[in-house]
């Protein structure tokens, strides 16, 4: 039993639009509906939990009907940080997912995730406890403490750029959130960070350059270009 | 007295084309000609040295004439690694640049460098010894020694993606190359790496998302899109 948790709590301030980016219409569908369709069709996903601000839940429900999303289990409230939203999503997922089941946590604004990435994450988490898709870092990355001059060139062969979705065995991952302080949840930057910090193994699986997160107008036009291919 | 060293020794194997990427024609001009024009027009640049394989030097000379590049000083031979090519370019630059002058080392395949970046690098190197443009890293970057599971999430606020051009006071930068072993030159990954490793300060200046390096067909179409804006 695997559950997709779709994070849709963002407010989209970087897009310069009024509405959160995941609700922008592309080809007459909100961006969030693209990943919902992918999870609906993926045969290893049993349920979908959506973390969203209450103000948007009626809008989402309308689209769940239009798109015939039958796996929807329920909403979780948006939290004050991304990791708080995840925690809320985990608690709701407990209602439909056993401890040994896997939750796969995705961004509503990543409409191009592939079935392969989802499967690899689910299998990786089932076997190792956690899994996340990564791509290689193309940049030459320097470390600078003060932002004024270089301290160190990092070894690119050890660097990986994290993507979503990230997958974890629900029982272990939720137990960490129950155990740590609210401040630690607030300070969590990467979804996997809190997992490996508390002893879970997080397997790296192959991500994709196409699996973009839409945060800027440029990303939006890239998405439209890829759709028209 | 400042000299631009344009690195054009690459063979372009990643493009899937027969010719090196910097010689691909875009709007009836080879990509290398775009940065040559920028250096020609930049009032703080006095000379241009081009590092290129001998087989391509006649082609480049033809374009130097067509584009009216009057600052061209001479060719340097392509080396067996990028840093060897730079070393060759430094030695040729010595013929037109005093020790306290600045060499600014650019990739022929970065046609969109701005006047501002060039000026900032020149001033930074004149004052601090070295300077390079950087942009912030947007990815969540994880460190993994074995490429199989995560060891550490890196603090994004200390990470910078290096771009070209990089600028150095010629005398100090060349002296390092004269002093170190051939193996150390071969093992150098970033142009600035050999500088700060041997005690030179390298100032970070503001790069630009537009200052792309053309290495893939996607980069080429991004360049064409930007040109048509």
């Amino acid at each position: 039993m695997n559950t997709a948790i779709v994070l849709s709590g963002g407010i989209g301030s970087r897009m310069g639009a009024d509405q959160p980016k995941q609700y922008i219409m592309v080809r007459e569908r909100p961006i969030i509906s693209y990943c919902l369709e992918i999870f609906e069709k993926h045969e290893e996903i049993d349920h979908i939990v959506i973390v969203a601000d209450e103000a948007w839940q009626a809008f989402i429900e309308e689209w769940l009907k239009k798109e015939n999303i039958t796996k929807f289990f329920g909403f979780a409230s948006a939290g004050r940080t991304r990791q708080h939203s995840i925690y809320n999503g985990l608690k709701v997922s407990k209602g439909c997912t056993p401890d040994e089941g896997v939750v796969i946590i995705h961004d509503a604004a990543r409409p191009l995730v592939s079935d392969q990435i989802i499967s690899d994450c689910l299998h990786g988490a089932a076997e190792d406890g956690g899994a996340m898709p990564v791509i290689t870092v193309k940049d030459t990355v320097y470390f600078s403490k003060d932002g004024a001059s270089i301290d160190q060139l990092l070894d690119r062969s050890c660097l990986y750029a994290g993507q979503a979705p990230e997958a974890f065995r629900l029982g272990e991952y939720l137990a960490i959130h129950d155990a740590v302080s609210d401040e630690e949840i607030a300070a969590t930057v990467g979804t996997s960070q809190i997992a490996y910090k508390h002893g879970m193994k997080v397997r790296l699986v192959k991500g994709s350059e196409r699996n973009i997160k839409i945060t800027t107008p440029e990303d939006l036009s890239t998405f439209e270009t890829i759709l028209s291919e």
Side-chain angles (χ1 to χ4, degrees), chain A residues 60-89:
Chain A
I60 295 171
E61 279 189 317
E62 185 190 316
W63 278 95
L64 289 169
K65 267 178 220 151
K66 277 192 202 165
E67 302 263 338
N68 237 328
I69 305 296
T70 64
K71 296 179 181 173
F72 177 66
F73 176 75
F75 287 107
S77 315
R80 68 182 177 93
T81 68
R82 185 171 188 278
Q83 199 64 33
H84 281 101
S85 287
I86 290 172
Y87 191 13
N88 293 346

Side-chain angles (χ1 to χ4, degrees), chain A residues 15-29:
Chain A
M15 282 297 292
D18 286 319
Q19 85 227 76
K21 57 198 173 300
Q22 64 272 27
Y23 304 125
I24 290 172
M25 303 297 281
V26 174
R27 301 205 164 190
E28 299 176 9
R29 297 171 60 193

Side-chain angles (χ1 to χ4, degrees), chain A residues 3-10 22 31-39 45 48-51 82 85-86 90 103-115 117-118 121 131 133 163-168 191 210-214:
Chain A
T3 297
I5 299 176
V6 175
L7 302 176
S8 192
Q22 64 272 27
I31 287 172
I32 185 176
S33 73
Y34 289 85
C35 75
L36 291 174
E37 182 191 3
I38 294 165
F39 286 121
I45 297 293
I48 298 170
V49 166
I50 302 174
V51 185
R82 185 171 188 278
S85 287
I86 290 172
L90 295 174
V103 288
I104 180 161
I105 302 164
H106 195 58
D107 298 313
R110 287 200 192 252
L112 292 167
V113 62
S114 69
D115 289 341
I117 289 175
I118 293 170
C121 285
Q163 298 190 323
E166 290 163 271
F168 306 94
T191 315
R210 286 173 78 103
N211 179 23
I212 57 168
K213 183 172 181 179
I214 296 174

Side-chain angles (χ1 to χ4, degrees), chain A residues 29-207:
Chain A
R29 297 171 60 193
I31 287 172
I32 185 176
S33 73
Y34 289 85
C35 75
L36 291 174
E37 182 191 3
I38 294 165
F39 286 121
E40 174 71 19
K41 290 186 177 162
H42 197 291
E43 55 184 21
E44 292 178 85
I45 297 293
D46 302 286
H47 299 289
I48 298 170
V49 166
I50 302 174
V51 185
D53 195 280
E54 273 183 30
W56 285 94
Q57 294 184 2
F59 174 86
I60 295 171
E61 279 189 317
E62 185 190 316
W63 278 95
L64 289 169
K65 267 178 220 151
K66 277 192 202 165
E67 302 263 338
N68 237 328
I69 305 296
T70 64
K71 296 179 181 173
F72 177 66
F73 176 75
F75 287 107
S77 315
R80 68 182 177 93
T81 68
R82 185 171 188 278
Q83 199 64 33
H84 281 101
S85 287
I86 290 172
Y87 191 13
N88 293 346
L90 295 174
K91 286 186 274 193
V92 171
S93 299
K94 214 174 146 50
C96 58
T97 322
D99 276 356
E100 66 279 12
V102 170
V103 288
I104 180 161
I105 302 164
H106 195 58
D107 298 313
R110 287 200 192 252
L112 292 167
V113 62
S114 69
D115 289 341
Q116 185 66 52
I117 289 175
I118 293 170
S119 296
D120 289 349
C121 285
L122 291 174
H123 304 164
E127 288 159 25
D128 284 0
M132 67 180 298
V134 293
I135 53 174
T136 56
V137 172
K138 283 185 295 183
D139 299 320
T140 307
V141 179
Y142 290 89
F143 185 87
S144 169
K145 250 184 227 157
D146 62 3
S149 63
I150 294 174
D151 296 314
Q152 197 194 336
L153 174 68
L154 301 177
D155 179 359
R156 180 155 52 182
S157 69
C158 296
L159 301 183
Y160 298 87
Q163 298 190 323
E166 290 163 271
F168 306 94
R169 280 198 297 256
L170 175 60
E172 287 156 77
Y173 192 59
L174 178 55
I176 292 169
H177 288 74
D178 288 337
V180 303
S181 68
D182 192 62
E183 289 72 43
E184 180 166 347
I185 292 176
T188 297
V189 179
T191 315
S192 290
Q193 187 188 19
I194 199 166
Y196 74 79
K197 263 182 72 178
H198 292 278
M200 287 182 78
K201 190 171 167 189
V202 181
R203 182 191 291 188
L204 303 181
V205 306
K206 198 174 178 320

